[in-house]
Amino acid sequence: MSVAIIDYGAGNIQSIRFALERLGVPAILTDQAAVITNADRVIFPGVGEASSAMEKLKASGLDALIPTLTQPVLGICLGMQLMCNHTEEGNTKGLGIFDTSVKRFEIKPLKVPHMGWNTSQHTTSKLFEGINQGSYFYMVHSYYAQLCEETIGRMDYGLNFSTALQKDNFYGVQFHPEKSSDAGVQLLQNFLKL
Amino acid sequence: MLTKRIIPCLDIKDGRTVKGVNFVQLRDAGDPVELAQRYANEGADELVFLDISASEERRKTLAKLVKEVARAIDIPFTVGGGISSVEDVDILLQHGADKVSVNSAAVRQPDLINALSQKFGSQCVVCAVDAKQIAGQWKVHLVGGKVPTEIDLMDWVQEVAQRGAGELLFTSMDHDGTKNGFANRALAEVADLINIPIIASGGAGTINHFIDAFALGKADAALAASVFHYKEIEIKSLKAALLDRQIPVRL
């Protein structure tokens, strides 16, 4: 099993690498198209600001590569948001893999960012196999993906939003599985088994 | 439902966990990585590592320790102490920190908060504020609470939120190390002023103190050190007690 973590200078990508390491799966941090294309699994991580992240993807041509990948791909947090059509953050056009838009939380008096552990409700997607409804995941985000046909996990924070999305071989999660204790470990294992 | 967070704080000096009474007398409470794992297993929601010697000693990073911790645990953690530049933060995030906290440096150069939130996103920028009441006014203090400033706490918290901090870690120097409870009145006042999550810090001694920090202080998270390090309070029983009082927590 080879796992490529897309390296485009987006904040903390060590956490996800260490999480995979704990599962006994070494992962390669890379921005090389050939390495990404040939990996069995691809993880598209990201924390930070959307427009500058998208600029970095464009600079290395990764914006064109990612939508053409055919193996299971998992976008995490900002990675997932960039896989959507558009995000309000920096008024940024996304990769258009998920047919939904990303908005800023503006629900007084709820705090922004949405930070901490919240419960998820999910479909029978293989990504959530063995994970109980209402399991806790760690969240830290100020923008959310709206519900859409590709929503496979939803969460409530003043409104319902997509905490997990799937289209074909593309998966995205708003939470941080690498920081979500047991449920996160299970989800990563499920992703590796897809 | 979003839950309230319980955050053990590991004060670090020379790679070891310490905790002082009013920040002065220090006792050794163990190995940070071992403690971090223990807390993660016991249900801590997050961890904070503060290099309390950093401001004085100009120690720039805890990079090696950060990497060891990131390898070992699967809950988020924040690193603070002596962080004074974008480069400092870059190194810590690259080594696996999820968030960083800035304190004295942010007071000295407030633009640092803007720079950090623009480059890394506000979600990983925690602004730590140490304050103490002087003649009835809460004043911001620097260098681990040793150096008073003229800055009013209520003004400063609004400024840091407006500059892009993603979270506020408020430590009352009047309460820290006393085990007499958190500064709930000041916490609630801060909570009314800003719209970012607030971590209450300083004064935890009993389970009731945590209940009060959430119920009266309106905190989003509560941080403590010695009550956890010396096993005076078990995280599991603390969370059960919070749940009994209808305060949502992750079990």
Side-chain angles (χ1 to χ4, degrees):
Chain A
M1 169 72 65
S2 63
V3 179
I5 301 172
I6 299 178
D7 181 3
Y8 60 111
N12 175 6
I13 43 177
Q14 293 295 341
S15 298
I16 183 68
R17 189 163 73 92
F18 291 148
L20 293 167
E21 237 176 60
R22 288 192 289 271
L23 292 172
V25 181
I28 309 159
L29 302 179
T30 181
D31 61 355
Q32 299 299 307
V35 179
I36 295 168
T37 307
N38 291 318
D40 297 319
R41 297 287 182 279
V42 174
I43 290 181
F44 178 31
V47 290
E49 198 276 327
S51 62
S52 52
M54 190 53 93
E55 285 308 313
K56 285 180 191 149
L57 284 179
K58 283 181 180 162
S60 49
L62 292 169
D63 63 320
L65 176 73
I66 294 169
T68 66
L69 295 171
T70 53
Q71 67 274 62
V73 176
L74 179 65
I76 298 175
C77 195
L78 179 65
M80 181 208 85
Q81 295 185 357
L82 294 176
M83 291 161 83
C84 299
N85 288 334
H86 179 267
T87 166
E88 282 185 356
E89 189 178 23
N91 188 21
T92 308
K93 189 176 180 299
L95 300 177
I97 294 167
F98 301 127
D99 190 14
T100 187
S101 294
V102 177
K103 307 273 182 200
R104 188 177 164 84
F105 281 117
E106 301 278 5
I107 313 151
K108 294 275 155 73
L110 293 181
K111 297 190 175 187
V112 183
H114 172 218
M115 187 183 284
W117 298 78
N118 201 339
T119 48
S120 159
Q121 299 296 327
H122 44 262
T123 66
T124 54
S125 166
K126 283 206 162 94
L127 193 64
F128 285 97
E129 209 166 270
I131 297 174
N132 292 332
Q133 296 291 346
S135 289
Y136 287 99
F137 290 95
Y138 185 75
M139 314 303 299
V140 50
H141 61 127
S142 301
Y143 294 80
Y144 66 92
Q146 293 180 299
L147 295 177
C148 62
E149 279 187 12
E150 291 142 358
T151 300
I152 57 168
R154 60 171 66 202
M155 203 170 258
D156 178 62
Y157 190 60
L159 49 75
N160 272 284
F161 65 91
S162 296
T163 203
L165 293 159
Q166 185 201 345
K167 186 183 183 187
D168 307 326
N169 58 314
F170 293 97
Y171 295 80
V173 289
Q174 180 61 63
F175 48 76
H176 288 270
E178 75 279 18
K179 289 288 161 181
S180 292
S181 199
D182 299 346
V185 172
Q186 183 66 52
L187 186 128
L188 287 174
Q189 273 174 336
N190 292 346
F191 175 68
L192 295 173
K193 276 192 272 174
L194 285 171
Chain B
M1 182 186 244
L2 184 65
T3 53
K4 301 288 186 184
R5 288 169 283 153
I6 298 300
I7 308 179
C9 176
L10 291 78
D11 289 350
I12 304 293
K13 193 175 185 185
D14 305 323
R16 300 282 292 177
T17 308
V18 290
K19 176 62 191 173
V21 175
N22 285 327
F23 281 26
V24 181
Q25 281 178 311
L26 303 175
R27 280 200 286 167
D28 190 332
D31 169 40
V33 179
E34 202 181 299
L35 262 178
Q37 266 173 317
R38 194 189 107 196
Y39 288 137
N41 293 338
E42 288 179 356
D45 296 305
E46 239 176 281
L47 298 170
V48 168
F49 293 83
L50 283 181
D51 189 347
I52 56 170
S53 60
S55 297
E56 273 187 338
E57 295 170 7
R58 303 282 171 237
R59 194 168 136 195
K60 287 282 182 180
T61 66
L62 294 166
K64 186 167 164 273
L65 177 62
V66 166
K67 196 167 193 171
E68 286 172 27
V69 172
R71 272 223 159 87
I73 65 165
D74 57 9
I75 60 169
F77 68 100
T78 301
V79 182
I83 294 170
S84 59
S85 68
V86 170
E87 292 70 37
D88 291 346
V89 172
D90 205 19
I91 289 167
L92 293 170
L93 295 180
Q94 292 297 338
H95 280 76
D98 299 292
K99 308 182 210 176
V100 293
S101 84
V102 287
N103 191 337
S104 302
V107 177
R108 294 195 182 104
Q109 33 159 349
D111 285 343
L112 180 64
I113 303 170
N114 305 63
L116 293 177
S117 69
Q118 272 153 31
K119 184 161 166 72
F120 306 107
S122 36
Q123 77 290 329
C124 68
V125 182
V126 181
C127 198
V129 180
D130 299 332
K132 191 174 183 165
Q133 270 185 304
I134 296 174
Q137 298 289 310
W138 283 94
K139 296 292 182 188
V140 174
H141 282 57
L142 302 180
V143 199
K146 295 191 191 82
V147 180
T149 72
E150 285 302 305
I151 302 167
D152 185 83
L153 172 68
M154 302 305 162
D155 294 338
W156 180 236
V157 297
Q158 293 181 79
E159 181 171 345
V160 303
Q162 184 258 322
R163 285 179 178 274
E167 195 167 26
L168 181 80
L169 167 55
F170 166 43
T171 302
S172 162
M173 305 306 304
D174 293 335
H175 297 72
D176 196 70
T178 65
K179 299 196 174 177
N180 285 331
F182 294 90
N184 297 317
R185 212 176 302 164
L187 278 164
E189 204 178 319
V190 171
D192 285 339
L193 291 172
I194 58 175
N195 195 41
I196 58 175
I198 298 164
I199 306 170
S201 160
T206 67
I207 284 177
N208 279 333
H209 293 157
F210 287 88
I211 294 171
D212 289 346
F214 296 123
L216 306 175
K218 303 183 190 175
D220 301 285
L223 174 147
S226 57
V227 290
F228 297 135
H229 300 333
Y230 300 113
K231 301 192 182 182
E232 290 160 21
I233 296 178
E234 299 277 352
I235 295 172
K236 283 201 171 75
S237 19
L238 169 59
K239 285 190 161 182
L242 289 167
L243 211 57
D244 270 352
R245 299 292 292 267
Q246 276 79 50
I247 295 167
V249 287
R250 176 182 69 109
L251 285 179

